[in-house]
Amino acid sequence: MFYIRADGNAAIGIGHIMRCLSIAEAVKETGAEEPVFLLADNICYNMVADRGFAAKVLGTDYRHMQSELEKLSTLLKKEDVILVDSYQVSIEYYKELGKLCKTVCLEDMGNAYPVDLLINYNIYAKQLWENYQQGSSPKKVLLGVEYMPLRKAFQDNTVYQVKDKVTDVMITTGGSDPCFAAGSIIEAIWKECIREDKNQTNKILFHIVSGPMNQYTAQLKALCAEKEFFIIYENVQNMEALIKKCDVVITAAGSTVYEVCAIGVPMICFYFAENQRQGAQALAGLTDIVNAGAFAEDKEQVVSNILQALNHCIYDRIYRERLSMQERTLVDGKGAVRLAEEIIKLQAL
């Protein structure tokens, strides 16, 4: 059996679940046995089930992974493979898990774990090679964006044309919005752009995506209720189409940045947490994308940086064309397929 251990909620977002679903679908398409998801609670149960996969709820606390090992010991067999995607893990957890079955982990921060296969798909991952060779090092390591498990809709290169004028802008904070960043960005755009420049910005529609774990959705709706040019989206079923519709995307530095890169829509990014910082900085280092900074540390400066970058995009088509070209060179969309192949190899050992 192939198991996937991941969680999602308002505190940690849904990125772990989403990227694991992409891997699960790629494994399924090979004709191999379909994976079973193991969840601490039922928060993301329906999300997994709606994508056609079986899930078991462990009834544990996602913040205390060590406590679930006893339950896993009654479920896992030596020939099984389990993929774990969590920031709550420890070396001790993986040592004990490795006694039960073969282990795979998705990792972002440069922590070496004693697993059979460690995957870090981020654009900065190869800089962490030496980290993974120290201490409790994994048996095999896969690093770089060639292993980014994009959702299926983003796996094929699509045609995207940079338009002469910016008419549509997306604002997304990922699956959640821990600091209500969307509210601050909207307020600033309304105050600094729309009310002050009716001739230009009132021709732009702002598409605001409220993720499934966004605890501020009601406030977001109230904020935009009497503001023209702002459209709120919930439960987006076709994110690819919405991204392709836009001329600029303002996004938190999670998995969405790779989806935007796959299409080639000019992007502005910022970040919430430490695990997003390296990605935002690497993205800005490899391209001309603006990293607006850490929202939780200085939201006023981040919002100011976003407005400045947005104006640059609005008034400079050549800049937008350059961003689009740079982004599309970063991701080829085949990462999920490559990971499925590696997991199937591990099952056969």
Side-chain angles (χ1 to χ4, degrees), residues 5-13 16 38-41 43 58-68 85-89 93:
R5 177 68 190 90
D7 296 301
N9 54 50
I12 62 174
H16 301 284
L38 302 177
L39 312 170
D41 49 52
I43 293 175
L58 298 174
T60 56
D61 187 336
Y62 80 94
R63 295 166 296 184
H64 303 290
M65 301 283 284
Q66 202 81 7
S67 66
E68 70 189 31
D85 186 0
S86 171
Y87 295 136
Q88 316 302 321
V89 291
Y93 173 84

Side-chain angles (χ1 to χ4, degrees), residues 43-58:
I43 293 175
C44 287
Y45 182 90
N46 288 339
M47 185 179 298
V48 172
D50 288 346
R51 295 281 282 272
F53 294 101
K56 295 180 182 292
V57 175
L58 298 174

